[in-house]
Amino acid sequence: MSFLSPKSLASLVESAVSAQSPRLGRAAHARIIRTLGIALEAFLSNHLIHMYSKLDRPDSARAVLSLTPAHFRSVVTWTSLIAGDVQNGHFASALSCFATMRHECLQPNDFTFPCLFKAAAALHSPILGQQLHGLAVKLMLTGDAFVACSAFDMYSKTGFLCDADKLFDEMPHKNIATWNASISNAVLNGKPREGICKFLQLLRDGEAAPNSISFCAFLNACSDGRFLVQGQQLHGYLIKGGHEADVSVSNGLIDFYGKSRLVSSSEKVFEKMRERNNVSWGSMLAVFEQNDMGEMACDLFLKIRRAGVEPTDFMISSVLSACAGLAALETGRVIHGLAVKACIDDNIFVGSALVDMYGKCGSIEDCERVFFEMPRRNLICWNALIGGYAHQGRADMALELFGEMLNRMDTEGLRPNYVTFVCVLSACSRGGMVKAGMEIFESMREKYGVDPRAEHYACAVDMLGRAGQVERAYQLINQMRVRPTISIWGALLGACKMHGKPELGKIAAENLFELDPQDSGNHVILSNMLVAAGRWDEANLVREEMKEVGIKKGAGCSWISVKNAVHVFQAKDASHSRNDEIQAMLTKLKNDLKGVGYVADTKMALYDLEDEEKESEVWYHSEKIALAFGLIALPPGVPIRITKNLRICVDCHSAIKFISGIVGREIIVRDNNRFHRFVDSQCSCGEYW
């Protein structure tokens, strides 16, 4: 065996770090022992400790440290151990190492302090951070730009903003890392305007030149603060300075324009990129998903696959969210398969997106399966499953899961947030559990420290309204601490329509007309409510007002996916290529329904027609046509899944309930409010919807 010098042996150790290979590192360590024995001098001991720390093998690093004589241990030795612990998230362990190092009377250096400040920030311990800062001042190391920048970052992330600003102003020399930390932390602390001012100060100061991190931080400030013009001005500055070619800068522009809802601008930046990385593809995917362009997101994901790009957890999460918005269950299942193949289905963000997707697509069994198979769960996962139960109207299951979550508050650090309460209150509303729901609503602030927002009030109004307590719901609106929103008045209007309260309904409608004058839906609901009450003249007046101000009724439509193709239908639609078969199926279903006690509900027929004409009017609603197509296009036994952009009408609900028993099929209808699962002439809503 040839003899290797200590320098060559050290190179072997460093190659293991570069390759991120613990196996190669152990082999290098074995070679060192065979060459020099167990007792090592400081040079190789430091290299081994550095290697094991970087490769997240803290026990091995400490074993090497214990075999290193005390007089060979230096600040470099301990800093390697501390840096490795911090890099791998072992923050408490890093501070423990620092305490032991101080017991050995070793002073930290300018490399040690940045690691310690990062640990203090991660543990959210500003008091410890202040003590470390005091030691750095005592050792006269705060003049070092990296030490000062790390201290500043620690104060910003632990909420000691005054100390952070004071330290920033006292720095004699600020490098670009310091400026970037200042801009980024201002944005993270909810002060985007301050972040923009810091960036402009950086430009005026001229001591350091902004880099890609500076530009992206500025764009984040613009998107968070809705400063569109300033972001566009920076884009011009970037083009002029030749910075747009930087991949990370282009990625930042895609994200900025997407969050500003200028999707076409995001697309232009994306198309002009000469090279793209995973972040580029993921950012464009997120833009489509966040702007409710689910089909575009799915199409882009196909392009990503064709380009040979390996899907990341972020990409998978984004496209799953798009599938959830489209109720595209089969596509979501395909994406789930890709996640399993890429070994990222255990990722907590992918898992959360899967739970959410299955819940919003109405497959509660798959939703539960993914949830309970996850190795660890965050609050998003719990909220997603509670939300899945809410969509199904399973208030009992939602409350049971909510109770289990509360039991784990201390052991797992779970604490319900405003999303949790929206999900729970929605479940109570759809399940008719008014008493339990109102108790939770009234305990939000005192018991859990969550102030009710407009969404929570909307749930409470909906809950009371559905239960027929319309006047109480109106009283709650008048007692609100926040201004009633469209969703709150909309919930009251829906309740008034459901329970025949036209006078209170007119009050709700008038407020909605003021808040959103161009929404045709509110006018239609008011008109239908007046029709149901036999007040035809007033209903016609609402229709005339719509025409006068140029409001057009939004078209209701239903769609169904068959063999990876989406088929969309409107009321009285006869344009489908298989229309003859659809009409024949509708006729057959109508005849079959006569024998099982179905009677058409024509109260919502929009015109003053003869009874026979009214029955024909409601029979050719879009969801019935979609159902007829599903029955002829899907194999027997396969569940029929229909999505509607409006709320399912009473007649369609009644008809589909009977049809599920006649044809022996599971029929799932997702309207704009919830899921209806029809099996054996029964609906999951229990007639409470």
Side-chain angles (χ1 to χ4, degrees), residues 4 6 37 57 121 180 243 252 275 313 338 342 406 443 467 496 602 650:
L4 292 176
R57 297 295 186 273
N180 289 344
H243 300 289
E275 61 173 300
D313 54 352
L338 288 174
L406 296 180
S443 69
C496 291
T602 60
V650 175

Side-chain angles (χ1 to χ4, degrees), residues 365 639 656-668 676-685:
E365 294 84 4
I656 295 173
K657 183 176 67 171
F658 281 116
I659 290 169
S660 69
I662 291 169
V663 300
R665 296 279 284 271
E666 179 183 1
I667 303 167
I668 300 159
H676 295 271
R677 191 173 189 174
F678 302 92
V679 180
D680 294 330
S681 299
Q682 298 293 324
C683 180
S684 59
C685 72

Side-chain angles (χ1 to χ4, degrees), residues 209-526:
N211 59 14
S212 60
I213 298 173
S214 320
F215 298 136
C216 290
F218 180 84
L219 289 169
N220 285 336
C222 291
S223 57
D224 283 9
R226 302 180 188 276
F227 300 121
L228 175 60
V229 174
Q230 288 81 353
Q232 290 174 320
Q233 289 174 339
L234 179 72
H235 191 178
Y237 175 87
L238 294 170
I239 293 172
K240 186 177 179 181
H243 300 289
E244 195 185 24
D246 187 296
V247 175
S248 59
V249 171
S250 291
N251 293 342
L253 285 167
I254 291 169
D255 181 67
F256 159 69
Y257 282 122
K259 288 177 178 174
S260 302
R261 306 196 76 79
L262 294 177
V263 178
S264 60
S265 297
S266 289
E267 289 181 285
K268 287 175 184 175
V269 174
F270 182 76
E271 293 299 330
K272 285 174 65 177
M273 292 179 72
R274 294 176 185 173
E275 61 173 300
R276 301 175 183 131
N277 58 16
N278 284 346
V279 178
S280 313
W281 291 100
S283 297
M284 196 65 235
L285 197 62
V287 167
F288 286 137
E289 186 273 318
Q290 291 163 2
N291 285 277
D292 301 319
M293 301 170 72
E295 290 183 17
M296 297 288 285
C298 292
D299 288 343
L300 181 64
F301 188 74
L302 289 176
K303 289 181 183 177
I304 291 172
R305 297 294 294 149
R306 284 195 289 267
V309 178
E310 191 67 25
T312 63
D313 54 352
F314 183 75
M315 292 180 198
I316 293 289
S317 300
S318 295
V319 76
L320 284 170
S321 296
C323 291
L326 293 170
L329 178 62
E330 296 309 317
T331 305
R333 282 189 170 132
V334 171
I335 305 300
H336 188 179
L338 288 174
V340 172
K341 186 178 179 182
C343 299
I344 56 176
D345 56 312
D346 282 346
N347 178 280
I348 194 161
F349 300 108
V350 173
S352 302
L354 282 167
V355 174
D356 183 60
M357 183 273 295
Y358 281 124
K360 288 179 178 174
C361 288
S363 183
I364 199 68
E365 294 84 4
D366 289 315
C367 182
E368 291 173 325
R369 188 178 302 113
V370 173
F371 178 85
F372 290 112
E373 287 178 355
M374 290 180 70
R376 59 191 182 98
R377 308 177 192 108
N378 58 11
L379 184 59
I380 297 171
C381 304
W382 289 85
N383 288 346
L385 184 54
I386 294 172
Y389 288 135
H391 282 301
Q392 298 279 339
R394 295 296 307 274
D396 54 340
M397 297 298 293
L399 289 176
E400 184 180 329
L401 190 67
F402 178 61
E404 185 180 342
M405 189 181 108
L406 296 180
N407 291 336
R408 301 190 184 202
M409 279 176 60
D410 296 330
T411 57
E412 296 185 18
L414 291 168
R415 189 162 191 84
N417 62 4
Y418 87 98
V419 176
T420 314
F421 287 107
V422 169
C423 295
V424 173
L425 294 173
S426 296
C428 292
S429 174
R430 290 164 183 165
M433 301 184 75
V434 180
K435 184 181 178 182
M438 291 307 295
E439 285 176 357
I440 291 170
F441 175 75
E442 290 163 2
S443 69
M444 282 174 58
R445 184 184 292 108
E446 293 180 8
K447 199 168 182 181
Y448 304 104
V450 178
D451 287 323
R453 301 188 191 179
E455 298 92 335
H456 304 113
Y457 278 105
C459 290
V461 170
D462 190 54
M463 187 190 314
L464 295 169
R466 283 174 189 269
Q469 301 179 39
V470 183
E471 287 78 10
R472 185 181 171 192
Y474 183 53
Q475 288 175 2
L476 179 62
I477 293 175
N478 291 328
Q479 295 167 3
M480 282 173 55
R481 299 184 180 183
V482 296
R483 189 185 177 204
T485 61
I486 292 171
S487 59
I488 291 169
W489 287 118
L492 183 64
L493 179 60
C496 291
K497 175 191 168 187
M498 184 187 304
H499 295 287
K501 303 280 186 178
E503 295 306 322
L504 203 51
K506 287 176 73 174
I507 295 173
E510 285 166 5
N511 281 280
L512 285 167
F513 297 161
E514 184 181 337
L515 290 169
D516 191 3
Q518 293 301 311
D519 186 349
S520 65
N522 300 320
H523 292 79
V524 172
I525 291 173
L526 177 60

Side-chain angles (χ1 to χ4, degrees), residues 110-230:
D110 53 345
F111 290 98
T112 317
F113 275 110
C115 300
L116 296 171
F117 284 129
K118 187 174 181 180
L123 294 170
H124 206 78
S125 179
I127 305 303
L128 174 61
Q130 286 178 319
Q131 292 173 335
L132 291 168
H133 186 199
L135 180 59
V137 171
K138 185 179 179 181
L139 296 175
M140 294 185 291
L141 290 173
T142 51
D144 181 272
F146 289 104
V147 173
C149 180
S150 301
F152 167 77
D153 194 52
M154 179 273 299
Y155 282 127
S156 298
K157 287 180 177 173
T158 52
F160 277 42
L161 304 183
C162 292
D163 291 313
D165 291 338
K166 185 178 179 182
L167 181 59
F168 183 82
D169 293 335
E170 289 176 353
M171 289 183 196
H173 302 290
K174 305 178 184 75
N175 61 13
I176 191 58
T178 308
W179 283 104
N180 289 344
S182 176
I183 299 166
S184 298
N185 285 319
V187 178
L188 289 171
N189 285 306
K191 297 182 178 180
R193 188 182 294 276
E194 187 177 312
I196 288 174
C197 292
K198 291 284 187 185
F199 180 82
L200 296 176
Q201 188 182 342
L202 163 64
L203 295 180
R204 284 193 295 267
D205 186 76
E207 185 179 350
N211 59 14
S212 60
I213 298 173
S214 320
F215 298 136
C216 290
F218 180 84
L219 289 169
N220 285 336
C222 291
S223 57
D224 283 9
R226 302 180 188 276
F227 300 121
L228 175 60
V229 174
Q230 288 81 353

